[in-house]
Every structure is written in structure tokens, then in C-alpha cells.
Amino acid sequence: MKNSSLVSITDYSVDDILQILDLASFFEKNPRPNFISDKVVATLFFEPSTRTRLSFETAIQRLGGRVIGFTDAGTSSVSKGETLKDTVLTVANYADLIVMRHPIEGSARYASEISPVPVINAGDGANQHPTQTLLDLYSIKKTQGKLENLNIVMVGDLKYGRTVHSLIHALSNFNPTFHFVSHKILETPNEYKLFLDEKGIKYFEYSNLDNAIAQADVIYMTRVQKERFSDLMEYEKTKDAYVLRRDMLEGVKPNMKVMHPLPRVNEISIDVDDTVQAYYFQQARNGVYTRQAIIAKVLGIDVK
Ligand code: CP
């Protein structure tokens, strides 16, 4: 395996993606192999996180590695005015791999270009969240038995949602049909629709969630991301537009699953949590196996 950063899901070929899913399955069955006991991994989180940071740190520890880093840039020398470049070059002296979340789009690409050690993008602004996408694909394959020819209903913040943007790119390799459900203000950006047009991938846009549900193999709910809005009036107009309730799941396909990258605010009613369709907490668990696989690949560890 080669040693390289993961910044965008488009850095990975279909073969790379399938290799990660295969490795994740291996790690699900073999959770604690000591593959990186000589490695230190830095987790630099310039934005809040629960799942991404903690599942990465769990993955590192299950692989036998050690973790350094910060969860709040305010406790680092960034608060004194240190640049991203100086932070990355300094931390690269201490760690074999950097996992970074940052609010600025393109920051992970920049870090990967200046860093002497590989960088994994744990989310850069509204741009990309490739490790979430890989765990989403793992979850889809695990529940649906395949990735090909699925009807994927994406709901909520399709404009700022980096998880949605990465997932559109990745799933486009597997002939999906997308059903985009969003408020007009938060619809899928044109660049993604043009990309799908060029690839000949079908997509439909809806303002009413009820009209999309019956076709779904997966409903991918997302949070309206208050932190990305420059105009809070627009947030107020859109924040309650779509709420998935238990009664809306009557008549869905037998194997349909509801996924969400989390955190949720109110877009999935808690009465959905104990339905057979709810999969979002198992999805978060899959993040550990998938991130073990990503770390192994990025560090060039021969697992099998
Ligand atoms: N899905 C996700 O990125 O969650 P966190 O923001 O909690 O890391």
C-alpha cells in the first residue's frame, strides 16, 4: 500500500474505496490488532466534534497507537496567532499522521501539501468529509448487501452539508438514483448537479419529504447547520422544514434504513429511534472500523 493523505473522497478510486470497505469488515471481526504500536497520531480539531474525533481516537487505540492533539484551538498556540502552516509543520515533528478538522474549505488540502506526514481530512468547512463518506458506504453496503443501483433519499441541508457532498461523489461510482429533498435555500449546489448530469446519474428534487420516502433504500437525513449561515434569518426559515417521524415510515421498502451522520437536532423525531429502520447509532459505530481501515491504508500498513 502507498503512503498518502486522504483529503477528498475523489482522491480514492473505486478500488481504493472497496479496499477500505473490505478492511473495515476485517477490523469489525478483528477489533484490536496491534498494527501501529510504534506510531503517534495527532488529532487537530479546530471545530467541535464528538463522533469523528472519538471514533478516530478509538480506532488509533484499538490499533495499538498513541494519540496527541487538541479539541479546541483556543487551548493551542493558534490563540496566540500561530498560522495553520506553522501548527502543521510543528505537529508533524511529533506525529506520524495528522487527522485534522478545520472550518475553512481547502484547509486540509493545504495542510497535506505542506506536511511531511500524511493528513486525513476530518471535515473542512462545507467542502468534504471523506472519512464520514467511507463509513456511510460501509453502512450502506452492510445493510443493503450492495452499493449498486440504490435509491438514496437525501434530506435537509444539501447546500452546506459536507457529508452529502462527499457521499454524492462516492455513490456516483455505483449507479445510484438520488432523491434530493430540501428547502429552496438549501438545495444541492449546481456543481454537484452538473457533475451528476455529466456522469448520467439520475436525480430528482422534491420540496415534500412524503413524496420521496416510498422509493428509498436509504433515507440520509442531515442537520441544518446553523454555523454555516451568514444570514440567520435564512436559518430560521429552514431549520424546521423537514422532520422524519415514525408514522411516516409506514409502507417503506422492507429493508429501508434511516441514516444520519449526526449530530441531530430535531430532524429525526426520537420516536424513530426504536424502529427497525433506524440505523444512525450503528452507523456511528461503523466509524471505528472504517477509520481503523483508513489509518492502516494511509500509513501503508499491510493488514492482510
Ligand atoms: N458526523 C460527524 O462528523 O459528527 P461529529 O461532528 O460529532 O464529528
Side-chain angles (χ1 to χ4, degrees):
M1 287 185 191
K2 70 180 193 300
N3 173 338
S4 59
S5 296
L6 172 59
V7 173
S8 164
I9 196 65
T10 56
D11 294 342
Y12 275 4
S13 65
V14 175
D15 283 349
D16 290 326
I17 289 172
L18 296 178
Q19 182 192 28
I20 290 287
L21 304 193
D22 189 42
L23 281 179
S25 177
F26 168 83
F27 284 117
E28 184 167 2
K29 294 182 195 104
N30 305 276
R32 295 178 192 279
N34 229 20
F35 284 134
I36 61 166
S37 54
D38 59 339
K39 305 286 189 207
V40 175
V41 180
T43 56
L44 308 186
F45 277 70
F46 296 81
E47 266 195 341
S49 168
T50 297
R51 278 145 293 275
T52 309
R53 184 177 67 80
L54 292 177
S55 64
F56 259 115
E57 295 189 0
T58 304
I60 294 158
Q61 292 182 24
R62 286 191 180 179
L63 289 169
R66 279 156 292 169
V67 184
I68 60 169
F70 53 77
T71 59
D72 173 4
T75 64
S76 76
S77 286
V78 172
S79 64
K80 302 175 201 164
E82 187 160 59
T83 62
L84 179 59
K85 178 181 179 185
D86 289 2
T87 303
V88 167
L89 290 178
T90 301
V91 172
N93 289 320
Y94 312 142
D96 302 284
L97 168 66
I98 294 174
V99 177
M100 188 179 91
R101 171 171 288 187
H102 198 283
I104 297 177
E105 296 175 27
S107 52
R109 179 69 66 198
Y110 173 71
S112 75
E113 284 169 358
I114 59 163
S115 174
V117 302
V119 172
I120 296 177
N121 181 6
D124 61 327
N127 187 32
Q128 283 267 327
H129 196 348
T131 69
Q132 176 72 43
T133 296
L134 289 161
L135 82 86
D136 292 341
L137 293 177
Y138 186 68
S139 301
I140 292 169
K141 185 153 188 238
K142 200 166 145 184
T143 57
Q144 303 300 316
K146 62 175 187 175
L147 292 172
E148 296 78 13
N149 307 319
L150 294 171
N151 278 277
I152 309 290
V153 176
M154 294 180 157
V155 186
D157 186 348
L158 308 187
K159 179 178 180 184
Y160 297 115
R162 59 192 173 198
T163 63
V164 165
H165 300 162
S166 293
L167 191 56
I168 287 172
H169 266 288
L171 278 171
S172 70
N173 293 304
F174 304 101
N175 192 38
T177 301
F178 288 114
H179 305 267
F180 297 135
V181 184
S182 70
H183 190 286
K184 190 82 189 146
I185 291 171
L186 294 178
E187 70 179 27
T188 310
N190 277 336
E191 67 178 282
Y192 294 97
K193 291 192 247 180
L194 287 171
F195 168 77
L196 295 174
D197 287 338
E198 277 166 21
K199 291 205 71 160
I201 307 276
K202 291 194 288 297
Y203 63 87
F204 302 93
E205 295 186 282
Y206 305 76
S207 55
N208 187 332
L209 175 55
D210 290 303
N211 294 345
I213 286 178
Q215 302 152 79
D217 295 303
V218 172
I219 299 179
Y220 193 88
M221 298 295 297
T222 63
R223 173 178 68 95
V224 177
Q225 299 178 74
K226 186 176 184 184
E227 66 274 26
R228 308 266 180 242
F229 283 77
S230 49
D231 178 353
L232 280 183
M233 287 298 289
E234 295 210 331
Y235 172 71
E236 290 300 325
K237 274 189 228 164
T238 56
K239 69 184 169 76
D240 298 322
Y242 300 101
V243 178
L244 185 68
R245 297 181 317 274
R246 186 186 186 107
D247 60 280
M248 295 162 77
L249 298 175
E250 281 168 24
V252 294
K253 287 187 183 175
N255 196 33
M256 194 282 285
K257 295 294 174 207
V258 178
M259 299 190 188
H260 191 312
L262 303 177
R264 82 173 140 184
V265 181
N266 63 345
E267 59 279 0
I268 302 178
S269 167
I270 56 167
D271 67 4
V272 176
D273 292 358
D274 58 0
T275 66
V276 293
Q277 288 88 16
Y279 193 73
Y280 24 96
F281 292 113
Q282 294 99 314
Q283 185 184 354
R285 173 188 284 264
N286 291 337
V288 175
Y289 318 130
T290 311
R291 288 176 172 125
Q292 283 179 289
I294 293 165
I295 291 165
K297 180 171 172 63
V298 168
L299 286 176
I301 309 287
D302 277 322
V303 174
K304 300 197 270 183

